[in-house]
Amino acid sequence: MPESPCLSVAIDRLTAARPDHYAIWVLQPPYPSGYGHFDRIWPDSLTQIWQTWHSLYSMRGLPEIPRVPVEYVVAPPPIATDAQPNIPPASQGSRVMQQLGVSLWKWLFDGPIQSSFDQSRGMAIGQGLPLRLRLDIRDPDLIALPWEIMQPQEGMQAVSLSQQLLFSRTSSAVEPLPDLRSEQSLNILLVLGLEQDGQSNARLQLDEEASALSRILQRSTLEQSTDAATAAPPCRCQVKTLLQPSAAELAQHLETEQYNVFFYSGHGEVGADGGLLFLADDATMNGTELAQVLSRCRVKLAVFNSCWGAQPDETQKKAMPRSSLAEVLLHHGVPAVLAMRDSIEDREALSFIQVFARELAQRKSIDRAVAIARQHLLTEYKFNWPAWTLPVLYMHPQFDGELIAVDRSRTVFREKEGRKPPTPTAILRSLVPPAKVCSMQGGLIRIGRSDNNDFVLSEEGVSRDHATIVRTAMGNGTQPAYFLRDSSRYGTYVAESNGWHLVHQREIPLRSKMQLKFGSEDNSPHEFVIHEPAAN
């Protein structure tokens, strides 16, 4: 399917002298005029509702994030005696959950930021695609806040629950991604470490736990997706299990096999170097050490069923930048990391993992699979229970979330037989020798230097992932239209009646027999052609 448009928004503190002043700006819009900048003051009212939420739902000590005078800290409301331990009554918890979610949304989306979001969302809706929303939080004091619960209004869906607004966190201060393998199966390395108390399990108990978790991962890939009308046949899932390995054993297994998913279940703690994983009695590994082998072996997704994986470390009650396990792995080149913001119970984690693995096996993107699994947690454990707020997804800004390659030879549209007219055939062809022709399959043609593209070019100025030609349904969906979406460094040149015109980092409509040059006006010309189906 065509790649979804993406809107990236960054937040950072303006000055240490005025810690309540922040800058919010659009880092990456899906259209050229979508950039915007807005200065915001963090209000005391938002701090109060955040502290109340934290006192109700967090197992960790109350942080000073953001820092405020003591008189603004709100004591937790009284808990009914018949309520679940550490969980407020439904009405009280839902009210606090919604108040914080709405307050965070209104603080983040205002002025030009709201305008850019509205236009980006409209563009995505017009293309029949979800909008990717990525949040780059550069002030470490704001990392611990549950941005995943943001919602525009009370009663509306939280941002991380939507399949039409795919939410993740990101960071722009990362190295470019290397070329990623195109894979057709889930290849999971499952590592079981020490339990939360830091003590070894009995060997038999550990074997049973590993077998049960492996069965959950493999069985879930055979289950029917919730989106049965458009689900592709599930891919194959292979799980290799390591029980309390040493750091050397873990590295050896990663280096000898081509795994695309690393899954860790066990005890974890926050730390300055990306936290600490307790593999065995005498074996630990910090996030920086793990990041080296995961990025070197080109693991696409790291999942952690352990506490605090998305929490930064603190020094003198102040959050340390880039210290959480998830951030460290992302900064070292792991494309996607899923970790927990707080402590999560085993039954909650297994419920989430089962649905998450099922959706990945159905070739869903990672951010969409997380949204579906999060919806499942909310349905099973209710809105005022914190389980659905715990998973935090980080995505590399260059990663589209595709873990398993989508079979693009399959038609994108599924309609009743006889309702849809034949789809035109679109091709991109070179106009100078050697002749090269690429037919559109599944609604898009990807152009670039990388071998992962459909139309591979090696001319000077061509980017690794240079541009995409997309087919979308217009009007009532019976008449397709075609667009060129440039995402390159040097742009694409389009022939018009008065010469060649540069298209750079934006989208334009295409007509049949339109000529294109990629990377430089001096490069070879190509022609986009639409062949209409013959009339019956």
Side-chain angles (χ1 to χ4, degrees):
M1 293 183 65
E3 185 175 338
S4 296
C6 180
L7 176 68
S8 293
V9 178
I11 310 172
D12 202 0
R13 195 187 300 271
L14 277 174
T15 172
R18 302 192 66 181
D20 58 342
H21 282 234
Y22 289 87
I24 306 172
W25 69 100
V26 175
L27 193 65
Q28 174 195 334
Y31 63 100
S33 60
Y35 294 94
H37 183 280
F38 201 53
D39 292 346
R40 295 289 273 159
I41 294 178
W42 186 274
D44 295 334
S45 59
L46 185 48
T47 294
Q48 292 180 54
I49 187 62
W50 152 237
Q51 298 283 15
T52 301
W53 187 95
H54 191 280
S55 65
L56 291 175
Y57 290 116
S58 180
M59 298 292 291
R60 201 179 185 200
L62 191 65
E64 296 183 14
I65 306 171
R67 296 187 303 278
V68 292
V70 174
E71 60 264 26
Y72 288 121
V73 176
V74 179
I79 306 299
T81 56
D82 58 346
Q84 294 277 1
N86 300 320
I87 301 299
S91 59
Q92 183 185 71
S94 296
R95 185 172 64 254
V96 173
M97 189 78 75
Q98 290 194 54
Q99 285 178 346
L100 181 58
V102 171
S103 298
L104 288 172
W105 180 281
K106 289 183 176 179
W107 183 80
L108 181 63
F109 291 102
D110 199 352
I113 311 301
Q114 179 68 51
S115 176
S116 182
F117 171 78
D118 290 340
Q119 293 187 57
S120 300
R121 189 75 187 275
M123 176 184 293
I125 292 172
Q127 297 176 13
L129 298 169
L131 174 67
R132 283 198 161 96
L133 176 61
R134 294 180 174 175
L135 191 58
D136 185 352
I137 307 170
R138 300 188 179 182
D139 179 8
D141 282 350
L142 298 184
I143 294 289
L145 273 78
W147 297 96
E148 287 70 19
I149 73 171
M150 286 191 299
Q151 58 186 113
Q153 298 176 22
E154 290 189 2
M156 295 186 68
Q157 193 173 46
V159 63
S160 63
L161 295 167
S162 174
Q163 295 184 53
Q164 299 305 314
L165 187 61
L166 302 177
F167 179 77
S168 61
R169 304 191 188 195
T170 190
S171 174
S172 58
V174 291
E175 293 297 321
L177 281 181
D179 289 340
L180 300 175
R181 296 186 295 262
S182 180
E183 296 165 301
Q184 293 294 335
S185 64
L186 281 174
N187 300 309
I188 302 173
L189 179 60
L190 171 61
V191 177
L192 268 69
L194 296 183
E195 288 296 305
Q196 188 168 352
D197 58 6
Q199 300 299 318
S200 295
N201 292 343
R203 188 69 187 186
L204 178 59
Q205 180 183 347
L206 196 64
D207 285 336
E208 292 175 349
E209 183 180 344
S211 298
L213 191 50
S214 179
R215 285 195 303 271
I216 285 175
L217 290 169
Q218 291 178 310
R219 185 179 69 243
S220 63
T221 63
L222 301 177
E223 297 177 353
Q224 182 63 51
S225 169
T226 54
D227 194 4
T230 58
C235 67
R236 193 160 51 101
C237 178
Q238 303 179 71
V239 181
K240 171 68 176 179
T241 303
L242 292 181
L243 306 180
Q244 297 184 351
S246 66
E249 290 171 337
L250 174 57
Q252 181 181 8
H253 277 276
L254 283 165
E255 290 168 348
T256 54
E257 300 288 342
Q258 288 191 347
Y259 296 103
N260 50 19
V261 179
F262 172 81
F263 186 96
Y264 173 79
S265 180
H267 183 44
E269 291 183 356
V270 295
D273 295 320
L276 201 62
L277 301 180
F278 292 79
L279 302 177
D281 287 328
D282 55 352
T284 59
M285 179 177 277
N286 66 37
T288 302
E289 295 163 350
L290 178 62
Q292 309 309 309
V293 64
L294 291 182
S295 58
R296 185 170 68 249
C297 297
R298 298 193 179 182
V299 172
K300 291 183 180 178
L301 170 64
V303 181
F304 296 91
N305 177 22
S306 57
C307 300
W308 325 122
Q311 285 277 14
D313 195 13
E314 296 180 4
T315 176
Q316 297 180 345
K317 294 187 177 182
K318 180 173 175 58
M320 298 175 62
R322 300 182 188 177
S323 60
S324 74
L325 174 60
E327 291 176 283
V328 165
L329 295 185
L330 193 75
H331 282 287
H332 283 78
V334 180
V337 184
L338 180 63
M340 300 301 164
R341 181 180 45 75
D342 209 316
S343 177
I344 186 169
E345 296 185 11
D346 285 343
R347 61 192 178 97
E348 298 168 349
L350 291 177
S351 179
F352 177 85
I353 290 161
Q354 183 168 351
V355 178
F356 179 55
R358 180 192 69 199
E359 298 303 321
L360 289 179
Q362 297 286 348
R363 296 176 169 83
K364 297 287 197 309
S365 64
I366 293 171
D367 43 7
R368 188 174 183 188
V370 169
I372 295 172
R374 196 190 300 273
Q375 289 174 347
H376 174 78
L377 275 183
L378 185 147
T379 302
E380 187 168 354
Y381 294 102
K382 307 306 178 185
F383 180 73
N384 69 310
W385 190 277
W388 69 274
T389 74
L390 297 177
V392 174
L393 175 63
Y394 277 85
M395 299 265 283
H396 191 286
Q398 294 178 334
F399 186 45
D400 63 1
E402 184 179 280
L403 181 61
I404 305 300
V406 178
D407 183 2
R408 286 181 279 150
S409 64
R410 297 172 61 88
T411 179
V412 175
F413 303 99
R414 298 190 180 193
E415 299 193 23
K416 293 182 180 180
E417 189 172 353
R419 293 286 301 277
K420 182 185 173 186
T423 302
T425 302
I427 65 169
L428 180 65
R429 64 187 180 192
S430 57
L431 294 178
V432 297
K436 180 186 289 187
V437 178
C438 177
S439 298
M440 177 172 284
Q441 300 290 335
L444 76 163
I445 300 174
R446 292 175 176 170
I447 304 123
R449 184 179 295 273
S450 168
D451 291 338
N452 294 332
N453 291 289
D454 306 301
F455 200 86
V456 179
L457 294 172
S458 57
E459 293 180 293
E460 185 176 356
V462 175
S463 298
R464 185 181 65 177
D465 298 307
H466 192 96
T468 306
I469 295 175
V470 179
R471 182 181 69 226
T472 63
M474 300 295 289
N476 59 6
T478 61
Q479 180 61 44
Y482 298 85
F483 296 86
L484 171 76
R485 184 180 299 148
D486 180 88
S487 55
S488 67
R489 182 174 182 180
Y490 297 111
T492 302
Y493 290 83
V494 180
E496 299 290 352
S497 58
N498 58 346
W500 292 93
H501 290 264
L502 176 64
V503 175
H504 188 220
Q505 297 284 332
R506 61 189 178 97
E507 184 177 270
I508 63 165
L510 290 180
R511 304 182 305 273
S512 185
K513 298 187 178 180
M514 184 175 280
Q515 293 187 17
L516 309 166
K517 292 182 179 180
F518 301 96
S520 170
E521 193 173 352
D522 297 327
N523 284 347
S524 302
H526 300 80
E527 186 179 43
F528 176 71
V529 181
I530 304 170
H531 295 296
E532 296 293 339
N536 293 330

